[in-house]
Amino acid sequence: MSATNKPSKIYLAGPDVFLPEPLKLAEAKKKICAIHGFEGRFPLDNVIENFNPNKETGLRISQANEVLISECDSVIAHITPFRGPSADVGTAYEMGFARARGLTVCAYSNDASSFADRTAISSGPLSRKVSCGALLDRDGLEVEEFDMVDNLMLEGGVLASGGLVAINDVPAAERYTNLNGFEQCVIHLRQLVERGVALRN
Amino acid sequence: MSATNKPSKIYLAGPDVFLPEPLKLAEAKKKICAIHGFEGRFPLDNVIENFNPNKETGLRISQANEVLISECDSVIAHITPFRGPSADVGTAYEMGFARARGLTVCAYSNDASSFADRTAISSGPLSRKVSCGALLDRDGLEVEEFDMVDNLMLEGGVLASGGLVAINDVPAAERYTNLNGFEQCVIHLRQLVERGVALRN
């Protein structure tokens, strides 16, 4: 960060906005970013006027988020499984958006169980297809087995962008709030910058 | 499509690849695309050599998919809820990726129940926060209420790109295979082309 006066911006993606105290978590994340020379940008930084529970407001929020991502150099996505075996879909959308815009994408999960084990809980029992050995859920839908944290597009996008996937097991009460993995991602980004790697291509 | 000899390409995103007969569905989708003057491109069109159940193969598949999306002008994403109240996360990632690349993004869901009702099934009972009236799931996590099909980033991205969200209720046995909504999206794209709208910006 020493080469410029403007700190590199990290978009803070995740289901954090749905937590009871989203701004508290946002502040904690921004503080960690600042310690390592970055500026964290949180979806709720956008001021949404005339907020109403309708499509028009939803559309304005989504577009404000897309603009915010486009102004950043990297993303740290919180991909702890959310209402099922996989990450929050809004976060997944933002990871893909950021990747296509050339940002470095990192991700952290506070659930270290395997994708297959999580799928077994939500959609098990699992079985093997006799003809080819593919792993199937109870509805006969195939379960990916690439030793990845979630659907291959998520980890694939992170790895291809030069980012880090940080996986940690944390106490249940800290499932959505523990920031150890988040800080590992920030440190990864810092090390890239220190090595002269551009976070945005 | 009459202005050029090359048909405009539609990327066929969705959890279709996890179905028992993905190629059958892919062929049916490609046929509908062709009827309306488009060329459908399916993830499994990519030839993945030395396929193994490991990260390296997963990464190669994800990167081949990103290239395939980048070669298309539009996306039709299958967002019928998958293992929970929301769409498949890989599909959500691809929608965001396509949106950031300037493609028109359409989506169809074969589940017409509300996002809140689906969340109640997977993570209910729901309740109202006394202080502000926000809708909460059983874990105290807020449930979006924007009258949108899923997380606002998904429908917001579709609408901002000029795409269509097609929602249909279908017989349970056709949950992942009914293509009425898919064809509605293809017709929407055809109408855009006929009006001289560029599908890719």
Side-chain angles (χ1 to χ4, degrees), chain B residues 10-139:
Chain B
I10 304 175
Y11 182 79
L12 309 174
D16 307 355
V17 294
F18 305 124
L19 294 181
E21 297 183 291
L23 295 180
K24 190 177 161 189
L25 194 62
E27 284 314 307
K29 286 187 168 184
K30 287 181 179 184
K31 194 173 167 186
I32 293 171
C33 289
I35 288 169
H36 295 282
F38 292 97
E39 181 183 341
R41 303 297 302 273
F42 195 67
L44 299 181
D45 291 348
N46 288 315
V47 176
I48 305 297
E49 296 181 349
N50 302 317
F51 188 99
N52 282 296
N54 60 27
K55 263 190 219 292
E56 192 273 335
T57 296
L59 178 56
R60 281 190 290 124
I61 296 172
S62 91
Q63 293 319 289
N65 288 349
E66 288 189 357
V67 169
L68 202 55
I69 296 168
S70 302
E71 292 169 350
C72 290
D73 307 296
S74 59
V75 165
I76 298 178
H78 181 188
I79 60 166
T80 299
F82 186 77
R83 294 178 188 148
S86 284
D88 163 54
V89 288
T91 304
Y93 178 98
E94 293 181 338
M95 291 171 74
F97 189 93
R99 165 77 180 134
R101 281 272 198 266
L103 282 69
T104 300
V105 181
C106 291
Y108 72 99
S109 173
N110 290 336
D111 187 332
S113 65
S114 78
F115 188 28
D117 284 348
R118 300 195 310 266
T119 305
I121 291 171
S122 90
S123 310
L126 307 185
S127 63
R128 291 279 173 191
K129 196 168 182 175
V130 177
S131 59
C132 63
L135 189 64
L136 303 178
D137 71 10
R138 68 176 172 229
D139 299 315

Side-chain angles (χ1 to χ4, degrees), chain A residues 18 55 100-101 142 155, chain B residues 18 55 100-101 137 142 155:
Chain A
F18 305 125
K55 263 190 219 295
R101 282 272 197 264
E142 192 164 335
E155 182 154 347
Chain B
F18 305 124
K55 263 190 219 292
R101 281 272 198 266
D137 71 10
E142 191 165 337
E155 182 154 348

Side-chain angles (χ1 to χ4, degrees), chain A residues 41-55:
Chain A
R41 303 297 301 272
F42 196 67
L44 299 182
D45 291 348
N46 289 314
V47 176
I48 306 297
E49 296 182 349
N50 302 317
F51 189 98
N52 282 296
N54 59 26
K55 263 190 219 295

Side-chain angles (χ1 to χ4, degrees), chain A residues 66-137:
Chain A
E66 288 190 357
V67 169
L68 201 56
I69 295 168
S70 302
E71 292 170 350
C72 291
D73 306 297
S74 59
V75 165
I76 299 178
H78 180 189
I79 60 167
T80 300
F82 186 76
R83 295 179 188 147
S86 285
D88 163 54
V89 288
T91 304
Y93 178 99
E94 293 181 339
M95 291 171 73
F97 189 94
R99 165 76 181 135
R101 282 272 197 264
L103 282 66
T104 300
V105 181
C106 292
Y108 72 99
S109 173
N110 290 336
D111 186 332
S113 65
S114 78
F115 188 28
D117 285 347
R118 301 196 309 266
T119 305
I121 291 171
S122 89
S123 309
L126 306 186
S127 62
R128 290 280 172 190
K129 196 168 182 173
V130 176
S131 59
C132 63
L135 189 63
L136 304 177
D137 72 11

Side-chain angles (χ1 to χ4, degrees), chain A residues 105-184:
Chain A
V105 181
C106 292
Y108 72 99
S109 173
N110 290 336
D111 186 332
S113 65
S114 78
F115 188 28
D117 285 347
R118 301 196 309 266
T119 305
I121 291 171
S122 89
S123 309
L126 306 186
S127 62
R128 290 280 172 190
K129 196 168 182 173
V130 176
S131 59
C132 63
L135 189 63
L136 304 177
D137 72 11
R138 68 176 171 229
D139 299 315
L141 301 169
E142 192 164 335
V143 182
E144 282 186 3
E145 292 186 287
F146 294 107
D147 190 26
M148 284 180 151
V149 66
D150 202 323
N151 182 291
L152 64 85
M153 295 307 296
L154 274 55
E155 182 154 347
V158 168
L159 297 178
S161 80
L164 175 75
V165 175
I167 302 171
N168 295 277
D169 231 340
V170 307
E174 299 174 19
R175 180 172 176 83
Y176 291 108
T177 54
N178 186 293
L179 295 180
N180 291 345
F182 176 79
E183 184 154 24
Q184 289 160 13

